[in-house]
Amino acid sequence: KAGDGNGGTDAAAQCGSGKEFLIGMSQANNAEPYRQVMNDDITNAAKDVPGFKVVVSDAAQDNSKQVADVENFISQGINLLIISPNEAKPLTAVVKKAYDQGIPVIVLDRKVEGDAYTAFIGGDNVAIGKAAGEYYAKTLLPQGGKVAEISGLPGSTPAAERAQGFREGIASNPKIEIVATQTAEWLREKGQSVMDAMLKAHPDIDAVYSHNDPMAEGAYLAAKAAGKESAIKFTGIDALPVPSGGIKAVEQGRLQATFQYPTGGREAIDMAKKILVDCQKDVPKTTTLGTTQITKENAAQVYTELGGKQ
Amino acid sequence: MTERPLVRMTGIGKRFGGVQACRDIDLTITAGEVHALLGENGAGKSTLINILSGVITAYDGTIEVDGRPVSFAGPVDAQRAGIATIHQELDLVAGLSIAENMFLGREPRTRLGSVDIRRMRRQAAEHLRTLGADLDPRRLVGSLRVGEQQLVEIGRALSLDARVLIMDEPTAALADAEVERLFETIAGLRRAGVGIVYISHRMAELEVIADRATVLRNGRLAGTVDPKTASRDEIIQLMVGRSVDALFGEGRNEPGEVLLDVRGFAVTPRRPTPGRTEPAGVDLTVRSGEIVGLAGLMGAGRTELLETLFGAGGSGRRTGEVTIDGRPYHPHGPRAALARGVAFVPEDRRGAGLMLEHSVAENVVLSALSSLTTLGVVRRQAVRRTVAEQLTSLAVKAASPAVAAATLSGGNQQKVVFAKQLLTQPRLLLLDEPTRGVDIGAKAEIYRLLHRLADTGMAILLASSELPELRSLCDRVVVLHRGRTVATLPRASATQQAILAAANGDDAKETR
Amino acid sequence: MNPPNPTAVEEAPAETPPPRRPSLRLPRDRHALVDNFFRFQSLFGLVAVFLIAIAVSPVRNGENIFLSSGNLANIVRAVSEIGIIAVGMTFVILIGGIDLSVGAVLGLAAVGSATLMVDSGLGILPTVLIVLLIGTAFGATQGAIVARIGIQSFIVTLAGLQAARGIARMWSGGLGIPIAYGDGPQEAPEAFSLLSGSINGVLPVPAVLFIAIGIGALLLLRTTAFARHVYAIGGNEKAARLSGVPVRRVRIAVFAISGLLAALAGIIHAGQLNQGSPNDGSGYELDAIAAVVIGGTSLAGGSGSMGGTIAGALLLGILNNILALNNIDANVQLVVKGLVIVAAAALQKLRPRIS
Amino acid sequence: MNPPNPTAVEEAPAETPPPRRPSLRLPRDRHALVDNFFRFQSLFGLVAVFLIAIAVSPVRNGENIFLSSGNLANIVRAVSEIGIIAVGMTFVILIGGIDLSVGAVLGLAAVGSATLMVDSGLGILPTVLIVLLIGTAFGATQGAIVARIGIQSFIVTLAGLQAARGIARMWSGGLGIPIAYGDGPQEAPEAFSLLSGSINGVLPVPAVLFIAIGIGALLLLRTTAFARHVYAIGGNEKAARLSGVPVRRVRIAVFAISGLLAALAGIIHAGQLNQGSPNDGSGYELDAIAAVVIGGTSLAGGSGSMGGTIAGALLLGILNNILALNNIDANVQLVVKGLVIVAAAALQKLRPRIS
Ligand SMILES: Nc1ncnc2c1ncn2[C@@H]1O[C@H](COP(=O)(O)OP(=O)(O)OP(=O)(O)O)[C@@H](O)[C@H]1O
Ligand SMILES: Nc1ncnc2c1ncn2[C@@H]1O[C@H](COP(=O)(O)OP(=O)(O)OP(=O)(O)O)[C@@H](O)[C@H]1O
Ligand SMILES: [Mg+2]
Ligand SMILES: [Mg+2]
């Protein structure tokens, strides 16, 4: 293919230490804590690399806006693009455009189609969902039980994949039953009101599988208001190393467990350094980041490891 | 006059909620006649013609046009049947031009289907010219004075080439010159065999143009007279059910101290607004207990002067001197004016005077709320009592104080605005065309009220386009021309000729 | 010079009594009945949705889940923030304006509450006062721009929305600030968590606040001169100004009230969720406006009632609740909600209209 | 003093014919000048923002990045969808209504385009026609509810928003439907990808469509009777009705136009992004309304211009672009954008006002 192998050559030609590099980070939206942490990871990591300057744009969940953001980066003449696409297909073309112009592109978290990018770094939502499911099947509810699922925004890939992986994970334990699924659109307060209603309709829920930590926390609050917070087990996903994140919630006992969905921010800057400063030509095309299961035992330790501030 | 009536309305009745606006009314309109419709405010005149023009579609009785019974589903049906109407309330679209308003809903098209703007403008200009109005058809209606808007309404009705033309108080906002031109036009239409229904509260007009007069009272037919032969008292007797002469009474006190003193007053706007005539050298005084009239041609700047004195005028640099009780007076807003005891009744009661959808009671007390509250809480009992008193004292005809102001007849709406301002207990009352659309009985009541107020020491400054009104009501008449005082005529010398001559100013000599 | 004698105005007609003309009267009683019926019309939609909800609610062990006291309390708690915002929005809409910034101000206030208590270590009272002040000032600023420059409130508050959201994100570093309770540093006073509690274990505190504020506003709107001014400005601004209504001041006050109540909702939000997050409250403005309009208040200004708004907010809450209780698919929920909102609004149209 | 003589009151004016007097005239020419100046006032904000953008644009290799043809083309492309929606919205706002459903209709249309071409294997023309028809019908339905039942358009279209979003999600199964090009099954005709291309490599196709539609609408609004009816309904509905303007029909038509253009924007959206995603277009309604209002159209209806809307859309686009080019922090951007929007709206206020 035309772009293959040519992408990133211009910038690579200018590589070397002691130079200034402008890195554009196109973020799908800043409203999700996960993405805010990703931005913070990137900017913090970049501070340690002399010559790196990172600018972050916020597409506010709008594919078109993100296309325009990348176009603007190209106009400005960035040396490297990091992008966490809102959705794969709509951003494929503009990512390819950047790549074809010789700008190295690191795709984070969500993929684009084809291979017109330098590298992809991301977690695996199906695997995370599956890990959560297996945790339910083996550790949390080995005797089986009724599970309520609070899902992310309908139509978003992570929501679909975390649902799918979970079902694969619990398949080994047929006594686990998903009795209700409601969306809370990734939001804490919606998690609360959805849980309110679910508790009414299904007062005998044993556990709540939430697609992210904030919704799990919201559900916990609802259960607490109903006096059921100790009878029900809550798990989340994301495990952000920030005070409002899931690790702290596990540490403080509100959540039973959470599963890390890595931001890949540090890894992206590491790779950018390899490309721009070290002039390395052959970075791995795909880096899949693993997940860590966080329970009360390891919460404090993981929090420190991930550089979370107290 | 032909024998067969163009329109025959039989047994017409109409109820609004609890109000019987019309009851068993018969009316015929014959080709080539001017048929006057008379009655007090709220007698049911507008309701009757709204039925005929298709605005009101649910009513009792029958309408025949050319002997065939009709039932209009809307105003367009009536227009198709050859009935054109000039409604009492100006219903024009402010954001469209004169031409666009005149042809709204029946725009001439080019072959391409677009609006033939040139033809529209040309025809609009023609119709306006027959009325003696030399207005640029491209001007936005929102920038026109009320009188000019009235002419546009008339022009619009004329452009329909109707066989029956209904005019509901067409002259209410017109000055004499325009009225005269309108009469010429009406005479022409009559000769062409158009049947005309003419509603007006100006009795003198009827004697000039009406062939027949039907009088309504309280929604019923009170009688039919020939205005050329019947005496005015006779007609008034039919309308009001009593003689009006008896309504006038007592003598007047001598005026007191000078209350309002205006010397060389002018406003220089930062950016001139087209169509506004800001004060440009006004001298006048009003004493306590005195009624002073403001005369002038359309656009002479009377309205603007009153608005400015009330703090509601245009912005701009002020020069000259205005004092009240000898102390400087620079109202920067209606609140400041009200605080100094100045009240204002605007001429555009619907646009500037009333909250039409709100109740009569809410309208009446709005200006005086502060005197009816304790710690910001409205004293309901006091409000109810005050409203009742005011409505009685001004003889406002309303089903109840709780009905929306929009449901009142025009004259009664005017009285509500009046009541609102009087409640502030002003010392200086500014009135802009206070009797526009007010029936003769109510007019007399308003005059009597004004005299009574003046007798209590109130100073009144009143702008009016009806010269007879100025002459009979005022102690002095100040004539404005292009925003400038050109004459101050004491009562004795304020003849029609003198006022008109002054009002025309140098203008007549200059241009013609 | 004698000052005008006010009594003369009213006495005078007695001297020469013009023949009293019988003014046409309504048969009072019948109309009073019909009138009273339609006065409570903003409740029609609510009652209808309530009855439907009872009918379609799942039943467990013979108990109608929807009607269970816990569920009803949840409903009111869930709408309390939107409801409080909608109360402020009612004033704004009554003067013919709109306030799109409320959701963002809620977010800003939530962040403010958390930051001031947790990071700055302030007590509850100073925190609440400062946050309410911020909200009020923000609203008043918007009101001043609307009233003085004369820009349409839609634009001003749309800009305000963006600004408030931006400030909230900058203030919080883009992340939610969790609120831990206790006496230590970085901890908020325990009392603040009362906002997520209930009175007697039945009445959620936010619900009580909503109802109290709603009733207060209802009384305010029925009894005060301020309220009359609000209606007058919405009814005919020019007439109001000429009648001596302090139009600008009332306008600014109205936007300030809206900002104040949005900030209060933000404090409650933070208390309920134990967190102040800068992105919270997005889209709340539309829900609040919907509550107001379903309650029968006209977006053109000048007519509407606070009772209607409260009913509208409860209606929306019941709707969300019953759809969730029945475990309706989220997408179907959206469609059903759209239809019910229109149907509820159509119900309000039963009122007999003027002219 | 004499009591006034009642008969004198009505003295006939006809007896002494007053001399013909010329009514006072403005100096025409000067005013025509001022008028023409202010007529293009909706451009003031645009020109100001444009000049500022040039001034603050970063410069690379001596080239003003903002002014580079590629960048200018990007700006117009980026606003083209909002712009097309805003054109339809202008009609709605001119009649005093509002259409909150446009963003959701855009999403629905994008899903429709993708599904019909990819899953149902339809050609471009049938697909486009069906999608436009869906949008038009959706808009017309909303218009009919507004016009016939008399519910405020805010509520009807807010419900429409939810319904359209729900339908789009159900239709697409909740996920974006990617569009692959080719002749095979599950592939869309190659020609559809033209929507993401440019003419001569310079003019993006969506930008051309936006400009064409804008000019078309501008002419429509200047020349047709329909346009006058639109203004009349917004300016004075009663007058319009009395004049025989088919108020209901015009109302329905206006919402249908808005739906049609939103659907068109959805097709373009799908073509540009090679995907039909049910969540796309959320929040576009506010951007479109902002463009219309910044363009000087009053939300009260009856006054405004299409040129203003186009200028407003471009202004927003330039604003987004220049903030991004200068690498302003996203949160600061929000605040700055808010301020600039208010400033732009304030500029429009220079116009001398009627009444
Ligand atoms: N839409 C309405 N709803 C309720 N009552 C109405 C309505 N229109 C008119 N009325 C009532 O019907 C009666 C007749 O009103 P109408 O407007 O016909 O009087 P009018 O003779 O034209 O008076 P005026 O000379 O003041 O214009 C009045 O009592 C008025 O209050
Ligand atoms: N272009 C305009 N812009 C703003 N206000 C206007 C404009 N033209 C007229 N007005 C206002 O509209 C009203 C209508 O004027 P009106 O027809 O009453 O004039 P008039 O009473 O005949 O003349 P006068 O100026 O002597 O009162 C006045 O309040 C005037 O200030
Ligand atoms: Mg009348
Ligand atoms: Mg005047």
Side-chain angles (χ1 to χ4, degrees), chain D residues 137-163:
Chain D
F138 195 89
T141 308
Q142 296 185 123
I145 294 173
V146 171
R148 304 220 156 245
I149 313 188
I151 307 177
Q152 304 187 51
S153 57
F154 190 99
I155 281 296
V156 174
T157 59
L158 182 61
L161 184 168
Q162 313 225 34

Side-chain angles (χ1 to χ4, degrees), chain B residues 40-47 49-50 87-89 168-169 199 201 349 408-411 437:
Chain B
E40 288 182 292
N41 293 130
K45 307 179 293 293
S46 299
T47 305
I49 62 104
N50 278 339
H87 289 282
Q88 178 175 16
E89 306 301 348
D168 195 351
E169 301 192 32
I199 301 177
H201 291 296
R349 59 176 170 253
L408 262 56
S409 77

Side-chain angles (χ1 to χ4, degrees), chain A residues 29-164:
Chain A
N29 79 75
N30 281 358
E32 289 169 39
Y34 166 75
R35 294 179 179 280
Q36 184 66 45
V37 171
M38 184 195 287
N39 293 347
D40 293 348
D41 284 352
I42 288 174
T43 33
N44 289 335
K47 277 189 197 127
D48 300 338
V49 184
F52 271 19
K53 181 176 178 233
V54 178
V55 291
V56 182
S57 68
D58 172 14
Q61 278 181 355
D62 182 348
N63 293 323
S64 298
K65 168 113 179 13
Q66 194 161 21
V67 170
D69 286 343
V70 176
E71 298 268 15
N72 289 336
F73 280 153
I74 297 174
S75 297
Q76 285 179 65
I78 50 165
N79 302 99
L80 183 137
L81 172 69
I82 304 176
I83 180 170
S84 182
N86 191 46
E87 285 185 271
K89 183 81 188 182
L91 286 146
T92 302
V94 76
V95 164
K96 181 169 188 303
K97 181 175 170 187
Y99 185 68
D100 287 350
Q101 290 192 8
I103 301 172
V105 180
I106 299 171
V107 181
L108 267 185
D109 170 40
R110 290 183 198 165
K111 284 197 170 117
V112 292
E113 294 191 341
D115 54 5
Y117 56 84
T118 312
F120 167 77
I121 302 172
D124 181 341
N125 276 308
V126 179
I128 292 173
K130 195 165 174 195
E134 281 164 358
Y135 173 74
Y136 270 66
K138 304 213 169 74
T139 316
L140 199 64
L141 300 173
Q143 318 301 331
K146 294 186 172 172
V147 176
E149 182 185 31
I150 300 182
S151 61
L153 190 69
S156 64
T157 325
E161 291 176 348
R162 289 174 189 183
Q164 180 204 335

Side-chain angles (χ1 to χ4, degrees), chain A residues 30-33 36-37 40 58 154 179-183 188-189 192-193 196-197 200-203 221-222 225 242-244, chain C residues 60 65 68 70-71 74 77-78 169 173-176 178 269 272-275 279-281 284 324-325 327-328 330-331 333:
Chain A
N30 281 358
E32 289 169 39
Q36 184 66 45
V37 171
D40 293 348
D58 172 14
V179 292
T181 297
Q182 285 281 314
T183 178
R188 187 174 173 123
E189 69 262 33
Q192 186 185 25
S193 55
D196 275 341
K200 290 295 160 198
H202 307 278
L221 288 171
V242 292
S244 57
Chain C
R60 210 188 34 237
I65 296 182
S68 69
N71 189 55
N74 280 341
R77 199 204 33 225
R169 284 199 191 156
L175 286 170
H269 191 83
Q272 285 208 77
L273 295 178
N274 298 334
Q275 169 175 309
N279 298 311
D280 279 357
Y284 280 26
L325 280 188
N327 211 19
I328 306 284
N331 301 333
Q333 274 195 27

Side-chain angles (χ1 to χ4, degrees), chain C residues 151-165:
Chain C
I151 306 177
Q152 303 188 50
S153 57
F154 189 97
I155 282 296
V156 174
T157 59
L158 182 61
L161 183 168
Q162 313 224 34
R165 191 66 78 198

Side-chain angles (χ1 to χ4, degrees), chain A residues 168-293:
Chain A
E168 288 171 13
I170 57 172
S172 63
N173 185 344
K175 282 179 287 185
I176 293 181
E177 185 196 356
I178 300 175
V179 292
T181 297
Q182 285 281 314
T183 178
E185 300 172 11
W186 303 121
L187 297 173
R188 187 174 173 123
E189 69 262 33
K190 288 242 166 87
Q192 186 185 25
S193 55
V194 159
M195 187 67 190
D196 275 341
M198 287 208 285
L199 278 175
K200 290 295 160 198
H202 307 278
D204 48 353
I205 298 171
D206 297 301
V208 174
Y209 168 61
S210 166
H211 287 189
N212 74 358
D213 294 329
M215 296 190 293
E217 290 244 42
Y220 174 85
L221 288 171
K224 190 169 174 217
K228 290 190 171 170
E229 77 271 23
S230 47
I232 301 176
K233 301 184 170 74
F234 298 85
T235 67
I237 291 177
D238 279 353
L240 296 178
V242 292
S244 57
I247 303 182
K248 282 283 172 201
V250 172
E251 193 182 335
Q252 288 155 9
R254 294 190 296 279
L255 304 191
Q256 212 67 29
T258 182
F259 298 83
Q260 189 209 3
Y261 185 71
T263 67
R266 288 179 178 283
E267 290 81 354
I269 289 296
D270 279 350
M271 188 174 285
K273 180 161 173 283
K274 282 181 189 146
I275 296 170
L276 293 175
V277 183
D278 306 341
C279 291
Q280 194 172 320
K281 296 271 187 235
D282 50 348
V283 293
K285 189 87 183 175
T286 300
T287 310
T288 304
L289 303 170
T291 181
T292 310
Q293 172 178 315

